[in-house]
Amino acid sequence: MPEPAPDSGLITEALAGLAMRDLTMVESLLDIVGNLEDSTDDPELLGKLFEIDNLATRMRRNGENLLVLADQESDDSGVEPVALLDVARAATSEIKDYERVQIGRLPDRFVAGEAADDLSHLLAELLDNATNHSPDHAQVVISGQMMPDGALLVVVEDEGIGIPEDQLADINTRLAGTPVLDKRVMRHMGLYVASRIAHRHGLRVQLEARAFRGVSAYTVVPADQLSTTGPTPHSTVPQQAVPAMAAAAPQPSDSAPRPG
């Protein structure tokens, strides 16, 4: 007698449960590392702790990716608005080569609490993709500007070898439409996660070849997800942001290039 086919919904629920268990353990690890960072003045030890901090933070992002793939949403409805600068710093702290990221000019805006955590996760995927596909010595710049309709345009610019035109068009079609999980997604899992997050909050994400070298990744945050008032930067940071790593992230620079 043939065995019944596995219940895909039950499998997804089980994987989401395992991801939550892993995230709980990673959070405990980050708390321990954070306490050790606060209690030592040894530069060599602090450097090693920062490495552990960053590794655990990236592990947390992988766990959160599993929850996104399982279509599990977190309840952030009661979270206060988060400063855009803190969202950018949190995203930077989520990637391996955070030292290569330059935070450019960012508008003085706050992101709605229910979207801030996901936005920093989305930007982390774009930053990770940019650093992975550009030379080791090249910087990746994240900047932003307000649009005439009150929306926010966030740009991640790299200096990589670029993406073939037909492949770029396929990626943009997928980013603009309803997320579809198929074999082609496996090569760009981070972008698929970004598309699911964007679809969840009404964001728009598109990639565009730069004039000479590299790719620009554009994220448009609608005006209804933004405000001009909120807590002072650093007082409220998305859950992804690790205090020590966020502090180590680059400071905003007025000399960084503006998006075209």
Side-chain angles (χ1 to χ4, degrees):
M1 184 176 180
E3 294 184 4
D7 185 338
S8 59
L10 186 59
I11 293 175
T12 299
E13 187 176 339
L15 291 176
L18 288 174
M20 286 299 299
R21 292 182 185 181
D22 285 346
L23 286 171
T24 300
M25 289 187 289
V26 170
E27 289 291 350
S28 299
L29 174 61
L30 286 169
D31 286 342
I32 294 172
V33 173
N35 290 333
L36 290 173
E37 288 170 336
D38 292 339
S39 62
T40 183
D41 295 323
D42 184 337
E44 184 176 353
L45 177 58
L46 196 58
K48 294 296 184 183
L49 289 172
F50 264 53
E51 290 181 16
I52 298 172
D53 195 322
N54 179 246
L55 182 60
T57 305
R58 286 152 51 202
M59 290 170 61
R60 176 168 59 186
R61 180 160 63 91
N62 284 339
E64 290 172 342
N65 280 353
L66 289 175
L67 292 181
V68 172
L69 293 175
D71 202 22
Q72 299 290 315
E73 296 189 36
S74 58
D75 182 14
D76 294 328
S77 56
V79 179
E80 290 184 301
V82 180
L84 178 59
L85 175 59
D86 282 338
V87 172
R89 285 175 171 162
T92 302
S93 75
E94 289 268 313
I95 69 171
K96 177 182 178 181
D97 296 321
Y98 64 91
E99 294 177 328
R100 289 171 50 201
V101 177
Q102 175 67 51
I103 297 180
R105 296 173 183 171
L106 293 171
D108 186 15
R109 290 293 188 276
F110 294 82
V111 181
E114 60 268 20
D117 193 52
D118 276 350
L119 177 59
S120 72
H121 190 168
L122 184 155
L123 294 175
E125 295 297 340
L126 297 180
L127 289 169
D128 194 45
N129 187 66
T131 53
N132 286 337
H133 294 88
S134 57
D136 292 342
H137 63 276
Q139 281 194 328
V140 170
V141 179
I142 179 171
S143 60
Q145 62 185 48
M146 299 306 299
M147 301 176 70
D149 62 354
L152 168 69
L153 175 67
V154 182
V155 188
V156 173
E157 299 171 296
D158 68 57
E159 299 178 2
I161 60 175
I163 301 175
E165 187 174 343
D166 58 339
Q167 188 177 339
L168 190 65
D170 178 63
I171 291 174
N172 281 331
T173 298
R174 288 170 172 271
L175 287 171
T178 303
V180 177
L181 185 61
D182 56 26
K183 290 183 178 180
R184 286 187 293 174
V185 166
M186 303 309 295
R187 296 179 56 193
H188 304 284
M189 185 58 73
L191 293 178
Y192 174 75
V193 170
S195 73
R196 293 205 66 139
I197 293 174
H199 190 71
R200 178 183 296 173
H201 295 286
L203 313 178
R204 299 199 307 274
V205 181
Q206 289 283 278
L207 306 184
E208 182 179 293
R210 300 182 66 192
F212 298 102
R213 183 181 177 88
V215 172
S216 295
Y218 299 98
T219 301
V220 177
V221 184
D224 61 6
Q225 300 277 10
L226 305 168
S227 63
T228 56
T229 59
T232 303
H234 305 302
S235 63
T236 303
V237 182
Q239 291 182 351
Q240 295 148 298
V242 181
M245 293 304 303
Q251 301 298 311
S253 170
D254 288 335
S255 62
R258 294 290 297 273

